[in-house]
Amino acid sequence: MQLAKVLGQVVSTAKEPGLARFTLLLVQDASGADPERTSGAAYVAVDLVGAGVGEVVLVTTGGAARVAAGADTPTDRAVVAIADTVVRSGSVAYQKT
């Protein structure tokens, strides 16, 4: 799993039927010691937990994403949790406000 930050939503009226029940989020991986700092290319992930813009989330990839979303849905990445707190080396690196 990877920590990432939600940047926005992707709205699609025409999509594979298995994706109809999901919101698609635009996310970017967290970098360094601060989970709110991001780097790399932004990507789309299926939202399984109701995450919102600006939240730090856990993203799973590959087979784990497909299992989480349901085996009938073509999914490479899925948001599976919203982070409340991230503790790194005994110190709070992120606290949801």
Side-chain angles (χ1 to χ4, degrees):
M1 286 187 274
Q2 173 71 39
L3 282 173
K5 187 172 184 178
V6 178
L7 303 178
Q9 279 189 345
V10 176
V11 177
S12 175
T13 55
K15 55 188 168 187
E16 200 278 335
L19 293 173
R21 66 185 192 266
F22 298 113
T23 299
L24 303 175
L25 296 177
L26 183 64
V27 298
Q28 191 173 25
D29 289 340
S31 74
D34 181 1
E36 291 192 286
R37 295 188 66 181
T38 58
S39 68
Y43 55 88
V44 177
V46 171
D47 182 17
L48 304 179
V49 295
V53 174
E55 289 190 295
V56 175
V57 296
L58 286 172
V59 177
T60 190
T61 61
R66 283 185 286 285
V67 168
D72 62 334
T73 304
T75 305
D76 289 328
R77 297 179 190 210
V79 173
V80 295
I82 300 169
D84 293 320
T85 305
V86 176
V87 178
R88 183 180 174 130
S89 301
S91 298
V92 175
Y94 167 79
Q95 182 76 44
K96 183 176 177 180
T97 55

Coordinates of all heavy atoms in Angstrom, one line a residue:
M1 N 0.8 -1.2 0.0 CA 0.0 0.0 0.0 C 0.9 1.2 0.0 O 2.0 1.2 0.5 CB -0.9 0.0 1.2 CG -2.0 -1.0 1.1 SD -3.2 -0.8 2.5 CE -2.4 -1.9 3.7
Q2 N 0.3 2.3 -0.5 CA 1.0 3.6 -0.6 C 0.2 4.7 -0.1 O -1.0 4.7 -0.3 CB 1.3 3.8 -2.1 CG 1.9 5.2 -2.4 CD 3.3 5.3 -2.0 OE1 4.1 4.4 -2.1 NE2 3.7 6.5 -1.5
L3 N 0.8 5.6 0.7 CA 0.1 6.8 1.1 C 0.0 7.8 -0.1 O 1.0 7.9 -0.8 CB 0.9 7.5 2.2 CG 0.7 6.9 3.6 CD1 1.7 7.6 4.6 CD2 -0.7 7.0 4.1
A4 N -1.1 8.4 -0.2 CA -1.3 9.4 -1.3 C -2.3 10.5 -0.8 O -2.9 10.3 0.2 CB -1.9 8.6 -2.5
K5 N -2.3 11.5 -1.6 CA -3.2 12.6 -1.3 C -4.2 12.8 -2.4 O -3.9 12.7 -3.6 CB -2.4 13.9 -1.1 CG -3.3 15.1 -0.7 CD -2.4 16.3 -0.3 CE -3.3 17.4 0.2 NZ -2.4 18.6 0.6
V6 N -5.5 13.0 -2.1 CA -6.5 13.1 -3.1 C -6.5 14.6 -3.6 O -6.6 15.5 -2.9 CB -7.9 12.9 -2.4 CG1 -9.0 13.1 -3.5 CG2 -8.0 11.5 -1.9
L7 N -6.3 14.7 -4.9 CA -6.3 16.0 -5.6 C -7.6 16.4 -6.2 O -7.9 17.6 -6.3 CB -5.3 15.9 -6.8 CG -3.8 15.5 -6.4 CD1 -3.0 15.4 -7.7 CD2 -3.2 16.4 -5.4
G8 N -8.5 15.4 -6.5 CA -9.8 15.8 -7.1 C -10.5 14.5 -7.5 O -10.1 13.4 -7.2
Q9 N -11.5 14.7 -8.3 CA -12.4 13.6 -8.9 C -12.2 13.6 -10.4 O -12.0 14.6 -11.0 CB -13.8 13.8 -8.5 CG -14.2 13.5 -7.2 CD -15.8 13.5 -7.0 OE1 -16.5 14.1 -7.8 NE2 -16.2 12.9 -5.9
V10 N -12.5 12.4 -10.9 CA -12.6 12.2 -12.3 C -14.1 11.8 -12.6 O -14.5 10.8 -12.1 CB -11.7 11.1 -12.9 CG1 -11.9 10.9 -14.3 CG2 -10.2 11.5 -12.6
V11 N -14.8 12.6 -13.4 CA -16.2 12.4 -13.6 C -16.3 11.7 -15.0 O -15.7 12.3 -16.0 CB -17.0 13.7 -13.6 CG1 -18.5 13.4 -14.0 CG2 -16.9 14.3 -12.2
S12 N -17.0 10.6 -15.1 CA -17.1 9.9 -16.3 C -18.5 9.3 -16.4 O -18.9 8.5 -15.6 CB -16.1 8.7 -16.4 OG -16.3 7.9 -17.5
T13 N -19.3 9.8 -17.4 CA -20.7 9.3 -17.5 C -20.7 8.0 -18.3 O -21.6 7.2 -18.1 CB -21.6 10.3 -18.2 OG1 -21.0 10.7 -19.5 CG2 -21.7 11.6 -17.4
A14 N -19.7 7.7 -19.1 CA -19.6 6.5 -19.9 C -18.4 5.7 -19.3 O -17.3 6.1 -19.5 CB -19.4 6.7 -21.4
K15 N -18.7 4.5 -18.7 CA -17.7 3.7 -18.1 C -18.1 2.3 -18.1 O -19.3 2.0 -18.2 CB -17.2 4.2 -16.8 CG -18.2 4.4 -15.7 CD -17.6 5.1 -14.5 CE -18.7 5.5 -13.5 NZ -18.2 6.3 -12.4
E16 N -17.2 1.4 -17.8 CA -17.5 -0.1 -17.7 C -18.5 -0.2 -16.6 O -18.5 0.4 -15.6 CB -16.2 -0.8 -17.4 CG -16.1 -2.2 -17.6 CD -16.8 -3.1 -16.6 OE1 -16.9 -2.7 -15.4 OE2 -17.2 -4.2 -16.9
P17 N -19.6 -1.1 -16.9 CA -20.6 -1.2 -15.9 C -20.2 -1.5 -14.5 O -20.8 -1.1 -13.5 CB -21.5 -2.3 -16.5 CG -21.2 -2.3 -18.0 CD -19.8 -1.8 -18.1
G18 N -19.1 -2.3 -14.3 CA -18.7 -2.7 -13.0 C -18.2 -1.5 -12.2 O -18.1 -1.5 -11.0
L19 N -17.8 -0.4 -12.9 CA -17.3 0.8 -12.2 C -18.5 1.8 -11.9 O -18.2 2.8 -11.2 CB -16.3 1.5 -13.1 CG -15.0 0.8 -13.4 CD1 -14.2 1.5 -14.4 CD2 -14.2 0.7 -12.1
A20 N -19.7 1.5 -12.3 CA -20.8 2.5 -12.1 C -21.0 2.8 -10.7 O -21.4 4.0 -10.4 CB -22.1 1.9 -12.8
R21 N -20.8 2.0 -9.8 CA -21.1 2.2 -8.3 C -19.9 3.0 -7.6 O -20.0 3.3 -6.5 CB -21.4 0.9 -7.6 CG -20.3 0.0 -7.5 CD -20.8 -1.3 -6.9 NE -19.7 -2.2 -6.5 CZ -19.2 -3.2 -7.3 NH1 -19.7 -3.4 -8.5 NH2 -18.2 -4.0 -6.9
F22 N -18.8 3.3 -8.3 CA -17.7 3.9 -7.7 C -17.4 5.3 -8.2 O -17.7 5.7 -9.3 CB -16.4 3.1 -8.1 CG -16.4 1.7 -7.5 CD1 -16.5 0.6 -8.4 CD2 -16.4 1.4 -6.2 CE1 -16.5 -0.7 -8.0 CE2 -16.4 0.1 -5.7 CZ -16.5 -1.0 -6.6
T23 N -16.9 6.1 -7.2 CA -16.3 7.4 -7.6 C -14.9 7.2 -8.0 O -14.2 6.4 -7.4 CB -16.4 8.3 -6.4 OG1 -17.8 8.5 -6.0 CG2 -15.8 9.7 -6.6
L24 N -14.4 7.9 -9.0 CA -13.0 7.9 -9.4 C -12.3 9.1 -8.9 O -12.8 10.2 -9.0 CB -12.9 7.8 -10.9 CG -13.7 6.7 -11.6 CD1 -13.6 6.8 -13.1 CD2 -13.2 5.3 -11.2
L25 N -11.2 8.9 -8.2 CA -10.4 10.0 -7.6 C -9.1 10.2 -8.3 O -8.5 9.2 -8.8 CB -10.1 9.7 -6.1 CG -11.3 9.6 -5.2 CD1 -10.9 9.2 -3.8 CD2 -12.1 10.9 -5.2
L26 N -8.7 11.4 -8.4 CA -7.3 11.8 -8.9 C -6.4 11.9 -7.7 O -6.7 12.7 -6.8 CB -7.4 13.1 -9.7 CG -6.1 13.5 -10.3 CD1 -5.6 12.5 -11.4 CD2 -6.2 14.9 -10.9
V27 N -5.4 11.1 -7.6 CA -4.5 11.1 -6.4 C -3.1 11.1 -6.8 O -2.7 10.9 -8.0 CB -4.8 9.8 -5.5 CG1 -6.2 9.8 -5.0 CG2 -4.5 8.5 -6.3
Q28 N -2.2 11.5 -5.9 CA -0.8 11.6 -6.1 C -0.1 11.0 -4.9 O -0.5 11.3 -3.8 CB -0.4 13.0 -6.4 CG 1.0 13.2 -6.9 CD 1.3 14.6 -7.3 OE1 0.7 15.6 -6.8 NE2 2.3 14.8 -8.2
D29 N 1.0 10.2 -5.1 CA 1.7 9.6 -4.0 C 2.3 10.6 -3.1 O 2.9 11.6 -3.5 CB 2.8 8.6 -4.6 CG 2.2 7.4 -5.2 OD1 1.0 7.1 -4.9 OD2 2.9 6.7 -6.0
A30 N 2.3 10.3 -1.8 CA 3.0 11.1 -0.8 C 4.5 10.9 -0.9 O 5.0 9.8 -1.3 CB 2.5 10.7 0.6
S31 N 5.3 11.9 -0.6 CA 6.7 11.8 -0.7 C 7.4 12.3 0.6 O 6.9 13.2 1.2 CB 7.3 12.5 -1.9 OG 7.2 13.9 -1.6
G32 N 8.5 11.7 1.0 CA 9.2 12.1 2.1 C 8.5 11.9 3.5 O 7.6 11.1 3.6
A33 N 8.9 12.7 4.4 CA 8.4 12.6 5.8 C 7.1 13.1 6.0 O 6.4 12.8 6.9 CB 9.4 13.2 6.8
D34 N 6.6 14.1 5.1 CA 5.3 14.7 5.3 C 4.3 14.1 4.3 O 4.4 14.3 3.1 CB 5.4 16.2 5.1 CG 4.1 17.0 5.2 OD1 3.1 16.3 5.5 OD2 4.1 18.2 5.0
P35 N 3.3 13.3 4.8 CA 2.4 12.7 3.9 C 1.6 13.6 3.0 O 1.0 13.2 2.0 CB 1.5 11.9 4.8 CG 2.3 11.6 6.0 CD 3.2 12.9 6.2
E36 N 1.5 14.9 3.4 CA 0.7 15.9 2.6 C 1.5 16.4 1.4 O 0.9 17.0 0.5 CB 0.3 17.0 3.5 CG -0.8 16.6 4.5 CD -1.5 17.7 5.2 OE1 -0.9 18.3 6.1 OE2 -2.6 18.0 4.8
R37 N 2.8 16.2 1.4 CA 3.6 16.5 0.3 C 3.6 15.4 -0.7 O 3.7 14.2 -0.4 CB 5.1 16.8 0.7 CG 5.2 18.0 1.6 CD 6.6 18.3 1.9 NE 7.2 18.8 0.6 CZ 8.4 19.2 0.4 NH1 9.3 19.1 1.5 NH2 8.9 19.5 -0.7
T38 N 3.4 15.7 -2.0 CA 3.3 14.7 -3.0 C 4.3 14.9 -4.1 O 5.0 15.9 -4.2 CB 1.9 14.8 -3.7 OG1 1.7 16.1 -4.2 CG2 0.8 14.6 -2.7
S39 N 4.5 13.8 -4.8 CA 5.5 13.8 -6.0 C 5.0 12.8 -7.0 O 4.2 11.9 -6.7 CB 6.9 13.5 -5.5 OG 7.0 12.2 -5.0
G40 N 5.6 12.9 -8.2 CA 5.3 12.0 -9.2 C 4.0 12.3 -10.0 O 3.4 13.3 -9.7
A41 N 3.7 11.5 -10.9 CA 2.5 11.7 -11.7 C 1.2 11.4 -10.9 O 1.2 10.5 -10.1 CB 2.6 10.8 -13.0
A42 N 0.2 12.2 -11.2 CA -1.1 11.9 -10.6 C -1.7 10.8 -11.4 O -1.4 10.5 -12.5 CB -2.0 13.2 -10.7
Y43 N -2.6 10.0 -10.7 CA -3.2 8.9 -11.3 C -4.7 8.7 -10.8 O -5.0 9.4 -9.8 CB -2.4 7.6 -11.1 CG -2.1 7.3 -9.7 CD1 -3.0 6.6 -8.9 CD2 -0.9 7.7 -9.1 CE1 -2.7 6.3 -7.5 CE2 -0.7 7.5 -7.7 CZ -1.5 6.7 -7.0 OH -1.3 6.5 -5.7
V44 N -5.4 7.9 -11.4 CA -6.8 7.7 -11.0 C -6.9 6.4 -10.2 O -6.3 5.4 -10.6 CB -7.7 7.6 -12.3 CG1 -9.2 7.3 -11.9 CG2 -7.6 8.9 -13.1
A45 N -7.7 6.4 -9.2 CA -8.0 5.3 -8.3 C -9.5 5.2 -8.0 O -10.1 6.2 -7.9 CB -7.2 5.3 -7.0
V46 N -10.0 4.0 -7.9 CA -11.4 3.8 -7.5 C -11.5 4.0 -6.0 O -10.7 3.6 -5.2 CB -11.8 2.3 -7.8 CG1 -13.1 2.0 -7.3 CG2 -11.8 2.1 -9.3
D47 N -12.5 4.8 -5.6 CA -12.7 5.2 -4.2 C -13.6 4.2 -3.6 O -14.8 4.1 -3.9 CB -13.3 6.6 -4.1 CG -13.5 7.0 -2.7 OD1 -12.9 6.4 -1.8 OD2 -14.2 8.0 -2.5
L48 N -13.1 3.4 -2.6 CA -14.0 2.4 -1.9 C -14.4 2.9 -0.5 O -15.2 2.2 0.1 CB -13.2 1.1 -1.7 CG -12.6 0.5 -3.0 CD1 -11.9 -0.8 -2.7 CD2 -13.8 0.2 -4.0
V49 N -14.0 4.1 -0.1 CA -14.2 4.5 1.3 C -14.8 5.9 1.4 O -15.1 6.4 2.5 CB -12.9 4.5 2.1 CG1 -12.5 3.0 2.3 CG2 -11.8 5.3 1.5
G50 N -15.1 6.6 0.3 CA -15.7 7.9 0.4 C -14.7 9.0 0.8 O -15.1 10.0 1.5
A51 N -13.5 9.0 0.3 CA -12.5 10.0 0.5 C -12.8 11.3 -0.2 O -13.5 11.3 -1.2 CB -11.1 9.5 0.1
G52 N -12.3 12.4 0.4 CA -12.5 13.7 -0.2 C -11.2 14.4 -0.6 O -10.1 14.0 -0.2
V53 N -11.4 15.5 -1.3 CA -10.2 16.2 -1.8 C -9.4 16.7 -0.6 O -10.0 17.2 0.4 CB -10.7 17.4 -2.7 CG1 -9.5 18.3 -3.0 CG2 -11.4 16.9 -3.9
G54 N -8.1 16.6 -0.7 CA -7.2 17.0 0.3 C -6.9 16.0 1.4 O -6.0 16.1 2.2
E55 N -7.6 14.9 1.4 CA -7.4 13.8 2.4 C -6.2 13.0 2.0 O -5.9 12.7 0.9 CB -8.6 13.0 2.6 CG -9.7 13.7 3.3 CD -10.8 12.8 3.7 OE1 -11.5 12.2 2.8 OE2 -11.1 12.7 4.9
V56 N -5.5 12.5 3.1 CA -4.4 11.5 2.9 C -5.0 10.1 3.0 O -5.8 9.8 3.9 CB -3.3 11.7 4.0 CG1 -2.2 10.6 3.8 CG2 -2.6 13.1 3.8
V57 N -4.7 9.3 2.0 CA -5.4 8.0 1.9 C -4.4 6.9 1.7 O -3.2 7.1 1.3 CB -6.4 8.0 0.7 CG1 -7.5 9.0 1.0 CG2 -5.7 8.3 -0.6
L58 N -4.8 5.6 1.8 CA -4.0 4.5 1.5 C -4.5 3.9 0.2 O -5.7 3.7 0.0 CB -4.1 3.4 2.6 CG -3.4 3.7 3.9 CD1 -3.8 2.6 4.9 CD2 -1.9 3.7 3.6
V59 N -3.6 3.7 -0.8 CA -3.9 3.2 -2.1 C -3.3 1.8 -2.2 O -2.1 1.6 -1.9 CB -3.4 4.1 -3.2 CG1 -3.7 3.6 -4.6 CG2 -4.1 5.5 -3.0
T60 N -4.1 0.9 -2.7 CA -3.5 -0.4 -3.0 C -3.5 -0.6 -4.5 O -4.3 0.0 -5.2 CB -4.3 -1.6 -2.3 OG1 -3.7 -2.8 -2.5 CG2 -5.7 -1.7 -2.8
T61 N -2.7 -1.5 -5.0 CA -2.5 -1.6 -6.5 C -2.6 -3.1 -6.9 O -2.6 -4.0 -6.1 CB -1.1 -1.1 -6.9 OG1 -0.1 -1.8 -6.3 CG2 -1.0 0.4 -6.6
G62 N -2.7 -3.3 -8.2 CA -2.7 -4.6 -8.8 C -3.8 -5.5 -8.3 O -5.0 -5.1 -8.2
G63 N -3.5 -6.8 -8.1 CA -4.5 -7.8 -7.7 C -5.2 -7.4 -6.4 O -6.4 -7.6 -6.3
A64 N -4.5 -6.7 -5.5 CA -5.2 -6.3 -4.2 C -6.3 -5.3 -4.5 O -7.3 -5.3 -3.9 CB -4.2 -5.7 -3.2
A65 N -6.0 -4.4 -5.5 CA -7.1 -3.4 -5.8 C -8.3 -4.1 -6.5 O -9.4 -3.7 -6.2 CB -6.5 -2.4 -6.8
R66 N -8.0 -5.1 -7.3 CA -9.1 -5.8 -8.0 C -10.0 -6.5 -6.9 O -11.2 -6.5 -7.0 CB -8.6 -6.7 -9.0 CG -8.2 -5.9 -10.3 CD -7.8 -6.9 -11.4 NE -6.5 -7.5 -11.2 CZ -5.4 -6.8 -11.4 NH1 -5.4 -5.5 -11.7 NH2 -4.2 -7.4 -11.2
V67 N -9.3 -7.2 -6.0 CA -10.1 -7.9 -4.9 C -10.9 -7.0 -4.1 O -12.0 -7.2 -3.8 CB -9.1 -8.7 -4.1 CG1 -9.8 -9.3 -2.8 CG2 -8.5 -9.9 -4.9
A68 N -10.3 -5.8 -3.7 CA -11.0 -4.8 -2.9 C -12.2 -4.3 -3.6 O -13.3 -4.1 -3.0 CB -10.0 -3.7 -2.5
A69 N -12.1 -4.0 -4.9 CA -13.2 -3.4 -5.6 C -14.2 -4.4 -6.1 O -15.3 -4.1 -6.5 CB -12.6 -2.7 -6.8
G70 N -13.9 -5.7 -6.1 CA -14.8 -6.8 -6.6 C -14.1 -7.3 -7.8 O -13.7 -6.6 -8.7
A71 N -14.1 -8.6 -7.9 CA -13.3 -9.3 -8.9 C -13.8 -9.0 -10.3 O -13.1 -9.2 -11.3 CB -13.3 -10.8 -8.7
D72 N -15.1 -8.6 -10.5 CA -15.7 -8.3 -11.8 C -15.3 -6.9 -12.3 O -15.8 -6.6 -13.4 CB -17.2 -8.5 -11.7 CG -17.9 -7.5 -10.8 OD1 -17.2 -7.0 -9.8 OD2 -19.1 -7.2 -11.0
T73 N -14.6 -6.1 -11.6 CA -14.3 -4.7 -12.0 C -12.8 -4.6 -12.4 O -11.9 -4.9 -11.6 CB -14.6 -3.8 -10.8 OG1 -15.9 -4.0 -10.4 CG2 -14.4 -2.4 -11.2
P74 N -12.6 -4.1 -13.6 CA -11.2 -3.9 -14.0 C -10.6 -2.7 -13.3 O -10.8 -1.5 -13.6 CB -11.3 -3.6 -15.5 CG -12.7 -3.0 -15.7 CD -13.5 -3.7 -14.6
T75 N -9.8 -2.9 -12.3 CA -9.2 -1.9 -11.4 C -7.7 -2.2 -11.1 O -7.3 -3.3 -10.7 CB -9.9 -1.9 -10.0 OG1 -11.3 -1.8 -10.3 CG2 -9.5 -0.8 -9.1
D76 N -6.9 -1.1 -11.4 CA -5.5 -1.2 -11.1 C -5.1 -0.6 -9.7 O -4.1 -1.0 -9.1 CB -4.6 -0.6 -12.2 CG -4.7 -1.4 -13.4 OD1 -4.7 -2.6 -13.4 OD2 -4.6 -0.8 -14.5
R77 N -5.9 0.4 -9.3 CA -5.6 1.1 -8.0 C -6.9 1.4 -7.3 O -7.9 1.8 -8.0 CB -4.8 2.4 -8.3 CG -3.5 2.1 -9.0 CD -2.8 3.4 -9.3 NE -1.6 3.1 -10.1 CZ -0.5 3.8 -10.0 NH1 -0.4 4.8 -9.3 NH2 0.5 3.4 -10.8
A78 N -6.9 1.3 -6.0 CA -8.1 1.5 -5.2 C -7.7 2.2 -3.9 O -6.7 1.8 -3.3 CB -8.8 0.2 -5.0
V79 N -8.5 3.2 -3.5 CA -8.4 3.8 -2.2 C -9.1 3.0 -1.2 O -10.3 2.8 -1.4 CB -9.0 5.3 -2.3 CG1 -9.0 5.9 -0.9 CG2 -8.2 6.2 -3.2
V80 N -8.4 2.4 -0.3 CA -9.0 1.5 0.7 C -9.1 2.0 2.1 O -9.7 1.3 3.0 CB -8.2 0.1 0.7 CG1 -8.3 -0.5 -0.7 CG2 -6.7 0.3 1.0
A81 N -8.5 3.2 2.4 CA -8.6 3.7 3.8 C -8.3 5.2 3.7 O -7.5 5.7 2.8 CB -7.6 3.0 4.7
I82 N -8.8 5.9 4.7 CA -8.5 7.4 4.9 C -7.6 7.5 6.2 O -8.0 6.9 7.2 CB -9.8 8.2 5.1 CG1 -10.7 8.1 3.8 CG2 -9.4 9.7 5.3 CD1 -12.1 8.7 4.0
A83 N -6.5 8.1 6.0 CA -5.6 8.2 7.2 C -6.0 9.2 8.2 O -6.4 10.4 7.8 CB -4.2 8.5 6.7
D84 N -6.1 8.9 9.4 CA -6.4 9.8 10.5 C -5.1 10.4 11.1 O -5.0 11.6 11.3 CB -7.2 9.2 11.6 CG -8.6 8.8 11.1 OD1 -9.3 9.5 10.4 OD2 -9.1 7.7 11.5
T85 N -4.2 9.5 11.3 CA -2.9 9.9 11.8 C -1.8 9.0 11.2 O -2.0 7.8 11.0 CB -2.9 9.6 13.4 OG1 -4.0 10.3 14.0 CG2 -1.6 10.1 14.0
V86 N -0.6 9.6 10.9 CA 0.5 8.9 10.5 C 1.6 9.2 11.5 O 2.0 10.4 11.7 CB 1.0 9.4 9.1 CG1 2.3 8.6 8.6 CG2 -0.1 9.1 8.0
V87 N 2.2 8.1 12.1 CA 3.3 8.3 13.0 C 4.5 7.7 12.4 O 4.5 6.6 11.9 CB 2.9 7.5 14.3 CG1 4.1 7.6 15.3 CG2 1.7 8.0 15.0
R88 N 5.6 8.5 12.4 CA 6.8 8.1 11.8 C 7.9 8.3 12.8 O 8.1 9.4 13.4 CB 7.1 9.0 10.6 CG 8.4 8.6 9.9 CD 8.5 9.5 8.6 NE 9.8 9.2 8.0 CZ 10.0 9.0 6.7 NH1 9.0 9.0 5.9 NH2 11.2 8.7 6.3
S89 N 8.7 7.3 13.1 CA 9.8 7.3 14.1 C 9.3 7.9 15.5 O 10.0 8.7 16.1 CB 11.0 8.2 13.6 OG 11.4 7.6 12.4
G90 N 8.1 7.5 15.9 CA 7.6 7.9 17.2 C 7.0 9.3 17.2 O 6.5 9.7 18.3
S91 N 7.0 10.0 16.1 CA 6.4 11.4 16.1 C 5.3 11.4 15.1 O 5.3 10.7 14.0 CB 7.5 12.4 15.7 OG 8.5 12.4 16.6
V92 N 4.3 12.2 15.4 CA 3.1 12.4 14.5 C 3.6 13.2 13.3 O 4.0 14.4 13.4 CB 2.0 13.1 15.2 CG1 0.8 13.3 14.2 CG2 1.5 12.2 16.3
A93 N 3.6 12.6 12.1 CA 3.9 13.2 10.8 C 2.7 13.8 10.1 O 2.9 14.7 9.3 CB 4.6 12.2 9.9
Y94 N 1.5 13.3 10.5 CA 0.3 13.8 9.9 C -0.8 13.6 10.8 O -0.9 12.5 11.4 CB 0.0 13.1 8.5 CG -1.4 13.4 8.0 CD1 -1.7 14.6 7.4 CD2 -2.4 12.5 8.2 CE1 -3.0 14.8 6.9 CE2 -3.7 12.7 7.7 CZ -4.0 13.9 7.1 OH -5.2 14.1 6.7
Q95 N -1.7 14.6 11.0 CA -2.9 14.4 11.8 C -4.0 15.1 11.0 O -4.0 16.2 10.7 CB -2.7 15.2 13.2 CG -3.9 15.1 14.1 CD -4.0 13.7 14.8 OE1 -3.0 13.2 15.2 NE2 -5.2 13.1 14.8
K96 N -5.1 14.3 10.8 CA -6.2 14.8 10.0 C -6.9 15.9 10.8 O -7.1 15.7 12.0 CB -7.2 13.6 9.8 CG -8.4 14.0 8.9 CD -9.3 12.8 8.6 CE -10.5 13.2 7.9 NZ -11.3 12.1 7.6
T97 N -7.2 17.0 10.2 CA -7.9 18.1 10.9 C -9.4 18.1 10.6 O -9.9 17.6 9.7 CB -7.3 19.4 10.5 OG1 -7.3 19.6 9.1 CG2 -5.9 19.5 11.0

